[in-house]
Amino acid sequence: MDLTEEFEWRGRTVRWGRTGAGPAVVFCHGTPWSSQLWGPYAEALSDQFTVYLWDMPGYGLSSKLPEHRVSLDVQGELLADLVSHWELPSPHVVAHDYGGAVALRARLLHGSSFASLALVDVVALAPWGSDFFRLVRDNAEAFSAMPPAVHEGALRAYIAGASHRGLTPDQMQVLVSPWLDATGQAAFYRQIAQADQSYTDEIQDRYPRLDLPVLVVWGTDDTWIPVDRAHRLTELIPGAQLKLIDGAGHLVQLDQPVELAMTLYRWLTAQALLVR
């Protein structure tokens, strides 16, 4: 699914795409990924749903200008405005990693109305941010200036840790390629440097106020955001359902694609029937 459309927002260019017919489903990606990670899932659902993919500024095909902040507060406001731009009164939302916090902020702080929310291995509860995140945050300029070969080695090692089963060479290349040129390298370290836990601390106490159907999905072998967060998040959100996926790390989309696809299909079709 190609991102052929553009949305201009506060000097940023947001690339997005839409396909299919039926109830609206918006996919939100995380970091350091792009909408490509959700592409096969969106295509598979497009015969029953109108699916929307978008790249956050600083990621994928969207603009990566150094003067534009890419932190969670910015992305949450953007998602709320993007949903309004699409004229979607209450879409279903599927979010992964950083995209979970983006969707939660759009809902809790910026008035977005969602029909349902599926949270897949999301950034939502403290503590989050690895030792690598903290190291980069304290030395962002030095990392941005690393020789390309050194940067690529560090990037590949970092991304490899997100998968439990191990990535194929093709999968690894797709995930690292956006960050390998000079623009991508600077953008990669910039988004880590601006990752601030305060943006989830700000909304964490509001999770018990969520008044929509929520599904929490988690890979049991996620080393980036351990599975105990899934249990805590499910307990905080009234009526939330929990689905654990064995043999999957943080990149559950690649580790267990069939089980995740069936989980999301069952969830979204059930929610669409309820809305009707």
Side-chain angles (χ1 to χ4, degrees):
M1 179 175 166
D2 296 326
L3 306 188
T4 57
E5 305 293 329
E6 293 186 350
F7 175 54
E8 298 298 326
W9 187 83
R10 301 183 189 176
R12 299 160 177 82
T13 299
V14 181
R15 291 285 292 272
W16 65 275
R18 170 178 54 205
T19 191
V25 178
V26 176
F27 286 87
C28 299
H29 69 83
T31 181
W33 326 116
S34 74
S35 61
Q36 272 190 306
L37 201 57
W38 282 127
Y41 296 84
E43 292 283 2
L45 289 165
S46 63
D47 61 338
Q48 295 187 41
F49 297 90
T50 304
V51 293
Y52 292 77
L53 292 180
W54 63 292
D55 284 341
M56 293 188 293
Y59 300 80
L61 298 176
S62 292
S63 59
K64 300 180 178 68
L65 298 177
E67 63 268 27
H68 290 152
R69 290 173 53 245
V70 295
S71 49
L72 276 171
D73 56 334
V74 171
Q75 308 289 6
E77 287 186 67
L78 167 56
L79 175 58
D81 287 348
L82 190 55
V83 169
S84 295
H85 171 71
W86 290 330
E87 299 182 342
L88 301 178
S90 192
H92 303 278
V93 175
V94 178
H96 176 240
D97 183 81
Y98 208 64
V102 172
L104 287 164
R105 287 183 65 90
R107 171 76 179 193
L108 292 168
L109 298 182
H110 306 301
S112 289
S113 177
F114 302 149
S116 71
L117 187 55
L119 301 171
V120 184
D121 293 75
V122 294
V123 170
L125 296 172
W128 57 269
S130 64
D131 291 341
F132 180 71
F133 257 60
R134 287 186 284 274
L135 183 63
V136 169
R137 191 161 52 234
D138 294 339
N139 303 276
E141 289 188 12
F143 275 91
S144 297
M146 283 198 308
V150 177
H151 162 66
E152 182 172 351
L155 177 63
R156 287 179 178 273
Y158 173 63
I159 287 178
S163 170
H164 175 68
R165 299 183 66 179
L167 300 171
T168 67
D170 286 346
Q171 288 171 337
M172 176 64 80
Q173 192 58 36
V174 166
L175 295 176
V176 302
S177 59
W179 310 111
L180 293 179
D181 64 12
T183 299
Q185 179 172 341
F188 176 76
Y189 294 116
R190 186 162 56 247
Q191 49 91 9
I192 294 179
Q194 294 180 25
D196 192 328
Q197 186 177 290
S198 66
Y199 296 126
T200 54
D201 292 343
E202 186 178 2
I203 58 172
Q204 185 169 323
D205 289 345
R206 304 186 186 208
Y207 297 161
R209 304 182 201 172
L210 287 167
D211 57 353
L212 75 166
V214 175
L215 174 67
V216 177
V217 183
W218 225 271
T220 57
D221 296 288
D222 188 339
T223 58
W224 279 22
I225 310 178
V227 71
D228 70 284
R229 308 297 198 283
H231 295 283
R232 288 173 52 200
L233 190 57
T234 304
E235 291 170 0
L236 283 172
I237 299 174
Q241 300 180 34
L242 174 63
K243 169 64 176 176
L244 301 181
I245 297 183
D246 292 329
H250 191 65
L251 282 172
V252 62
Q253 297 95 330
L254 301 180
D255 283 350
Q256 295 290 355
V258 174
E259 186 163 0
L260 178 60
M262 291 305 299
T263 296
L264 293 177
Y265 174 77
R266 287 191 293 264
W267 168 256
L268 289 168
T269 52
Q271 299 312 309
L273 287 172
L274 288 174
V275 169
R276 289 176 191 170

